């Protein structure tokens, strides 16, 4: 097979950072241009982005990535969007953006989500999903109740990467993986189910949903307008793409239940592909995976984004440059005994109680800043362990290895901590931008360069480093994790008291 000189451009739009990545058919990374996702918090709990600004920023980054790779726009063979799951991206009846987009870290509809989750047994046999605060139908119901004029203006509802693909092609489609992760799809039929829209009290939105497509389907090509903005040649094929959980799982070669995928970024995402669905009592989510399997997921917004936010809060003006090399030195020179406080990484939401907030317990006057920060690192890993334990309960045994992606991969000390806390080997792969690699694999399969995901992964994914658990550290972390869980039980009855106080202060 001759597969020479193919170039794939992937737009990976995350909740914290957006990246434009160019890779070739062997998975080699040729260029990366990154910029912060320009989120706006107009009210506490609201996390939005302006679509016009997002498109301008993507255009600049795409042109910069072409320049960095030394490529012309007509040397790109395919474009693939990858994006954060959930959130809400809407067009009006004329297929035009008319409102700010809602990011997946938005928590405005927390009370509604709790109300719907209390009755989730009515729909779980259909969608095999629990209710999350940032899912389409929850946010749509909130808009219906609080911003009815905006609600009436909605003509199409899209996921993040499908919204970006609309800008690229002018065509409106929704990819099945994203839709199934949003409590919109019957997992047996793979199609929208009207009963789900009725459950959330938004029956009129059933007819506002775009046609469903699969990740490897070609969905149009670069328009003249998109070419002007991005520098990519008009007519370049654009594939449906995936949400970032799927992209990172595939990029790391997670294609069976022998290997778990962890994404430690803005979100705490833990998944494995399965032939069977997780039951409701597991607390896990099920969605359609591009390989045809079901992806079993346990996740929450409790991961590495908490570290960045804490570092910003501790800086003088929230804009101070962070010295990650100093933090890495701190991790490598200390161990599980160093930090004595417990940090709950709930700055954007929690995985235990929708009312829970970020919390630091056990801080002493003699503690150093370094001890506090190590507690933050550990708290993020403990939150991941809660979800990994959910997956282990479903699967019934440990995987052979965990493949990790997300911002935490930039810190070997943090990846070692994951292995120590979980007691399972953890591997990283050679490419740093795994959402980009997943998108490139999608394009390679969609365009027929490789027959399927297994063949594409064999040629494009390379394991770079393996971290083995230190059993002594694992034992210490086990005691700390017990304290982490026990204290959560003590706090459980107090979150609503805190939330009520905060609401009173907002008035």
């Amino acid at each position: 097979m001759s597969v020479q000189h193919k170039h794939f451009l992937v737009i990976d739009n995350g909740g914290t950072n957006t990246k434009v990545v160019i890779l070739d058919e062997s998975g080699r990374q040729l260029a990366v241009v990154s910029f912060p996702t320009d989120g706006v918090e107009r009210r506490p709990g609201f996390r939005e982005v302006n679509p016009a600004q997002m498109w301008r920023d993507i255009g600049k980054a795409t042109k910069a990535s072409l320049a960095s790779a030394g490529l012309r726009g007509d040397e790109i063979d395919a474009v693939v969007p990858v994006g954060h799951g959930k959130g809400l991206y809407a067009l009006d009846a004329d297929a035009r953006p008319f409102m700010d987009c809602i990011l997946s870290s938005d928590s405005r509809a927390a009370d509604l989500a709790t109300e719907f989750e209390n009755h989730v047994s009515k729909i779980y046999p259909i969608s095999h999903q629990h209710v999350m605060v940032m899912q389409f139908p929850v946010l749509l119901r909130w808009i219906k109740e609080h911003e009815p004029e905006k609600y009436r203006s909605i003509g199409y509802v899209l996921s993040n990467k499908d919204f970006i693909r609309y800008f690229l092609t002018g065509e409106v489609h929704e990819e099945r993986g994203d839709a199934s992760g949003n409590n919109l799809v019957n997992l047996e039929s793979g199609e929208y189910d009207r009963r789900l829209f009725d459950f959330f009290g938004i029956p009129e939105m059933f007819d506002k949903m775009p046609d469903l497509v699969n990740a490897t389907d070609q969905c149009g090509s670069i328009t003249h307008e998109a070419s002007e903005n991005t520098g990519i040649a008009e007519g370049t094929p654009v594939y449906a793409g995936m949400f970032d959980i799927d992209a990172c799982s595939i990029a790391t070669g997670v294609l069976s239940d022998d290997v778990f995928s962890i994404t430690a970024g803005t979100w705490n995402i833990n998944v494995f592909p399965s032939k069977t669905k997780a039951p409701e009592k597991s607390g896990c989510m099920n969605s359609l995976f591009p390989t045809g399997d079901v992806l079993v997921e346990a996740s929450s917004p409790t991961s590495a984004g908490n570290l960045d936010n804490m570092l910003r809060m501790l800086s003088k003006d929230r804009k101070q440059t962070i010295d990650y090399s100093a933090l890495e030195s701190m991790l490598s020179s200390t161990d599980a005994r160093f930090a004595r406080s417990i940090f709950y990484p709930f700055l954007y939401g929690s995985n235990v109680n929708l009312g829970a907030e970020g919390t630091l317990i056990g801080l002493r006057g003699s503690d150093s800043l370094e001890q506090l920060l190590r507690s933050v690192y550990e708290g993020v890993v403990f939150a991941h362990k809660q979800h990994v334990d959910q997956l282990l309960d479903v699967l019934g045994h440990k995987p052979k290895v965990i493949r990790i992606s997300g911002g935490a991969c930039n810190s070997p000390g943090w990846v070692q901590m994951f292995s120590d806390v979980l007691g399972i080997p953890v591997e990283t792969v050679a490419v740093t931008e795994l959402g980009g690699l997943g998108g490139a694999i999608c394009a390679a399969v969609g365009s027929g360069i490789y027959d399927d995901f297994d063949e594409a992964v064999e040629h494009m994914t390379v394991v770079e480093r393996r971290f083995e658990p230190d059993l002594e550290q694992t034992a210490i972390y086990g005691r700390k994790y017990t304290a982490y869980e026990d204290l959560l039980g003590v706090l459980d009855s107090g979150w609503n008291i805190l939330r009520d106080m905060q609401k009173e202060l907002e008035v």
Side-chain angles (χ1 to χ4, degrees):
M1 183 192 307
S2 176
V3 288
Q4 296 178 351
H5 308 302
K6 296 293 183 181
H7 302 120
F8 308 121
L9 186 146
V10 181
I11 300 168
D12 182 2
N13 192 185
T16 302
N17 293 295
T18 299
K19 300 160 187 175
V20 177
V21 191
I22 300 177
L23 306 97
D24 66 14
E25 75 287 339
S26 68
R28 187 166 58 102
Q29 196 168 280
L30 304 177
V32 180
V33 174
S34 177
F35 62 89
T37 302
D38 192 17
V40 177
E41 190 165 348
R42 59 186 171 95
R43 286 171 53 188
F46 287 48
R47 290 281 297 158
E48 299 173 337
V49 63
N50 179 271
Q53 183 64 49
M54 179 181 74
W55 181 229
R56 285 192 295 270
D57 290 341
I58 286 172
K60 293 176 184 176
T62 301
K63 289 177 178 177
S65 70
L66 289 169
S68 177
L71 295 171
R72 301 186 310 272
D74 61 359
E75 292 180 288
I76 297 299
D77 294 282
V79 179
V80 181
V82 168
H84 68 77
K86 306 174 181 64
L88 185 68
Y89 292 74
L91 302 171
D92 65 17
D94 296 320
R96 296 178 183 275
F98 73 99
M99 59 178 276
D100 282 350
C101 308
I102 301 176
L103 294 167
S104 60
S105 52
D106 192 279
S107 60
R108 74 186 71 186
D111 292 338
L112 269 176
T114 300
E115 181 181 338
F116 286 127
E117 177 62 20
N118 288 337
H119 304 283
V120 73
S121 295
K122 295 180 179 179
I123 60 166
Y124 198 89
I126 304 170
S127 66
H128 297 272
Q129 290 259 309
H130 286 275
V131 178
M132 302 183 79
V133 65
M134 72 302 294
Q135 287 174 327
F136 278 10
V138 180
L139 290 168
L140 286 169
R141 177 61 181 271
W142 187 95
I143 294 171
K144 182 177 182 178
E145 291 184 2
H146 297 275
E147 298 177 344
E149 290 186 13
K150 186 180 290 184
Y151 185 80
R152 287 191 292 270
S153 297
I154 295 174
Y156 300 91
V157 181
L158 292 165
S159 301
N160 170 268
K161 59 98 176 52
D162 300 289
F163 189 76
I164 293 170
R165 193 177 58 250
Y166 154 78
F167 275 118
L168 295 169
T169 66
E171 297 186 12
V172 183
H173 303 284
E174 173 74 13
E175 183 263 332
R176 276 187 173 80
D178 254 329
S180 67
N182 263 299
N183 245 323
L184 296 174
V185 168
N186 184 316
L187 234 61
E188 304 299 332
S189 69
E191 303 294 336
Y192 299 120
D193 194 306
R194 193 177 292 276
R195 291 172 293 176
L196 298 172
F197 293 79
D198 291 342
F199 172 80
F200 288 104
I202 52 168
E204 53 281 337
M205 284 294 151
F206 183 82
D207 296 323
K208 306 292 179 70
M209 299 307 302
D211 292 340
L212 290 168
V213 294
N214 295 322
T216 54
D217 289 346
Q218 183 178 341
C219 299
S221 58
I222 296 293
T223 64
H224 175 74
E225 293 78 6
S227 178
E228 290 288 312
N229 187 58
T230 64
I232 306 166
E234 183 176 354
T236 302
V238 180
Y239 290 87
M242 298 175 278
F243 75 124
D244 52 13
I245 297 176
D246 286 352
C248 290
S249 299
I250 286 173
T252 51
V254 177
L255 301 175
S256 74
D257 61 14
D258 285 338
V259 187
F260 281 10
S261 168
I262 283 181
T263 302
T266 303
W267 268 69
N268 169 346
I269 300 165
N270 314 269
V271 301
F272 71 92
S274 176
K275 302 296 182 187
T276 59
K277 304 176 189 68
E280 179 185 343
K281 65 180 181 180
S282 71
C284 294
M285 310 283 278
N286 301 275
S287 62
L288 299 173
F289 198 47
T291 61
D293 286 340
V294 170
L295 194 71
V296 179
E297 172 192 347
S299 63
S300 58
T302 57
S303 195
N306 281 264
L307 174 66
D308 283 346
N309 204 325
M310 286 293 290
L311 291 169
R312 299 294 179 194
M313 285 193 286
L314 291 168
S315 68
K316 293 179 180 178
D317 57 4
R318 296 183 69 95
K319 296 180 181 179
Q320 184 173 318
T321 300
I322 297 168
D323 186 353
Y324 287 103
S325 62
L327 291 171
E328 189 63 24
S329 177
M330 179 272 291
L331 289 179
S332 63
S333 62
T334 60
D335 66 7
R337 296 181 183 277
F338 182 63
R340 293 169 292 185
S341 55
I342 297 291
F343 176 74
Y344 294 101
F346 302 157
L347 299 180
Y348 301 107
S350 89
N351 54 358
V352 292
N353 184 315
L354 286 173
E357 304 278 2
T359 308
L360 185 66
I361 294 179
L363 191 63
R364 303 175 180 180
S366 59
D367 285 347
S368 65
L369 176 61
E370 288 75 17
Q371 287 174 302
L372 185 156
L373 291 175
R374 185 167 179 115
S375 294
V376 174
Y377 280 95
E378 292 177 355
V380 167
V381 184
F382 291 155
H384 274 274
K385 177 171 169 55
Q386 288 184 301
H387 287 317
V388 170
D389 286 349
Q390 287 179 273
L391 299 183
L392 295 177
D393 286 343
V394 171
L395 184 59
H397 60 82
K398 285 186 176 182
K400 295 177 181 177
V401 69
I402 290 172
R403 300 268 173 80
I404 191 166
S405 59
C409 288
N410 296 318
S411 168
W414 209 353
V415 177
Q416 182 63 56
M417 187 184 293
F418 271 89
S419 181
D420 292 340
V421 171
L422 299 172
I424 301 171
V426 177
E427 293 177 342
T428 59
V429 302
V431 168
T432 57
E433 300 302 334
L434 292 167
L437 177 57
I441 290 172
C442 179
V445 175
S447 60
I449 292 174
Y450 300 115
D451 291 337
D452 53 31
F453 285 107
D454 288 284
E455 185 183 6
V457 165
E458 182 181 348
H459 285 85
M460 299 176 73
T461 297
V462 177
V463 173
E464 182 177 55
R465 188 170 175 184
R466 182 180 175 96
F467 297 79
E468 296 285 351
D470 181 321
L471 297 184
E472 180 182 352
Q473 294 290 294
T474 300
I476 298 170
Y477 281 129
R479 295 195 291 275
K480 296 179 87 167
Y481 182 69
T482 297
Y484 181 96
E485 285 199 304
D486 288 349
L487 284 167
L488 277 179
V490 174
L491 291 167
D492 192 57
S493 61
W495 297 121
N496 288 336
I497 297 171
L498 177 63
R499 190 175 181 81
D500 290 343
M501 177 273 290
Q502 291 172 334
K503 285 182 177 180
E504 289 176 10
L505 295 178
E506 289 175 12
V507 177

